[in-house]
Amino acid sequence: MSIRGDTLDRLVIPDETTVEEHDLVTDGDIIIGGQSTVEFGVRGRSVIAGERTVFGGSIESTDDCRLDMWCDVHGNVLVGADAYIGERARIGGQLVVSGDLDIGDEVDIEKGFEASGWIIIRNPMPTIVFLFLYLSHLLRLGEEEAAAEVANEFLGEQDDALVIPRGSHVSDDMWRVSTPGVIGNGCRLHGNIRAASLTVGEDNDVFGSLRTKRCITIGKGTRIHGDVTTRHGTVTVAEGAEVLGDISCGDLDLHDRATIDGAIRASGEMSITNDSIHETM
């Protein structure tokens, strides 16, 4: 993803992301825009959350954790390196930090905290606001290499980061975002997914329906346990993919070795393809 773009301009679910009981689990970083609700607990490398983000469970990060002001975590926060907790944040369980703790005023930690390193009490600028102001300044100066280094230090490699856009709602029943969405390969997800558009990679299991305003692409070997619906866009279903529900769309591009268990409603053109033939109906 270009650092000239907005890092939070789409939902990104990296390869091998899973929902395990009540936790959202990924090997990479987790980046969540402000004023979002994530009813899961989360487990990943670094966790960064914007202001007023609500977590329905615990946070476990093997590296740093940065929670901006007014964040509300219903469970514990367990941090493998350093932590920044913004002012007036609330943690319903215990805070355990293996490194340094940078904490704002009026933070409520119901079951106490432990920090192995330095503890600093102050109210710096929220992490995500500071990061993008700093990146914008570097880019205006033409320091693109320096900006890339800063982005990688804070956000890790974009290819393996789980990104939830600002103002989203994620739960076991529903993933609701107003931006486009991209799902990697080998994921196992629960909940209906609502987005502006969706690209779903290969060999995924999605236990819910897909609904967008624009296009939906379903990769090889992916199984959708629900309906696939788009108002105006094209639905593309690759070889070996399965939709265990209905498809409603404008145009449909269907591989002849894909499986659709329900009804197909295409208001526009329907194409059936294989490796050598493209047939239009």
Side-chain angles (χ1 to χ4, degrees), residues 3-7 128-144 146-148 150-151:
I3 58 174
R4 288 190 176 277
D6 185 348
T7 302
I128 291 179
V129 174
F130 169 78
L131 173 60
F132 286 106
L133 285 176
Y134 187 36
L135 287 176
S136 297
H137 177 68
L138 288 175
L139 290 170
R140 282 197 299 271
L141 295 176
E143 299 287 345
E144 294 196 12
V150 171

Side-chain angles (χ1 to χ4, degrees), residues 80-92:
D82 299 334
Y84 159 71
I85 310 296
E87 62 179 309
R88 300 187 182 182
R90 173 187 171 274
I91 297 173

Side-chain angles (χ1 to χ4, degrees), residues 8-134:
L8 300 175
D9 65 356
R10 59 177 180 165
L11 170 70
V12 180
I13 302 175
D15 294 353
E16 308 297 335
T17 298
T18 60
V19 174
E20 299 177 7
E21 294 185 351
H22 299 294
D23 287 341
L24 182 59
V25 181
T26 185
D27 291 333
D29 297 334
I30 299 173
I31 306 166
I32 303 172
Q35 301 185 31
S36 295
T37 298
V38 180
E39 295 187 15
F40 299 112
V42 297
R43 285 187 272 157
R45 186 168 56 210
S46 290
V47 177
I48 300 175
E51 81 285 354
R52 298 182 185 273
T53 295
V54 177
F55 294 88
S58 297
I59 295 174
E60 295 183 33
S61 64
T62 57
D63 205 330
D64 294 343
C65 179
R66 302 169 184 269
L67 305 179
D68 280 339
M69 62 182 68
W70 296 101
C71 281
D72 188 345
V73 183
H74 291 193
N76 300 315
V77 177
L78 309 177
V79 185
D82 299 334
Y84 159 71
I85 310 296
E87 62 179 309
R88 300 187 182 182
R90 173 187 171 274
I91 297 173
Q94 188 178 26
L95 171 64
V96 179
V97 182
S98 297
D100 298 336
L101 172 60
D102 195 344
I103 191 167
D105 289 336
E106 299 184 55
V107 173
D108 181 12
I109 305 171
E110 292 194 4
K111 296 184 179 180
F113 68 91
E114 301 175 11
S116 299
W118 293 96
I119 299 175
I120 303 171
I121 300 175
R122 59 177 177 172
N123 288 320
M125 183 181 295
T127 302
I128 291 179
V129 174
F130 169 78
L131 173 60
F132 286 106
L133 285 176
Y134 187 36

Side-chain angles (χ1 to χ4, degrees), residues 141-213:
L141 295 176
E143 299 287 345
E144 294 196 12
E145 184 175 343
E149 291 177 359
V150 171
N152 285 334
E153 179 181 353
F154 274 86
L155 305 178
E157 295 297 329
Q158 291 295 335
D159 289 343
D160 69 351
L162 171 63
V163 180
I164 298 176
R166 182 180 181 86
S168 300
H169 192 115
V170 176
S171 71
D172 200 42
D173 296 323
M174 181 78 69
W175 296 61
R176 187 184 298 277
V177 303
S178 59
T179 66
V182 178
I183 300 173
N185 304 322
C187 299
R188 183 179 177 88
L189 306 174
H190 292 263
N192 303 313
I193 301 176
R194 305 290 182 263
S197 62
L198 274 173
T199 300
V200 185
E202 299 180 3
D203 299 318
N204 298 292
D205 266 304
V206 179
F207 294 89
S209 61
L210 310 180
R211 182 184 294 271
T212 71
K213 296 179 181 179

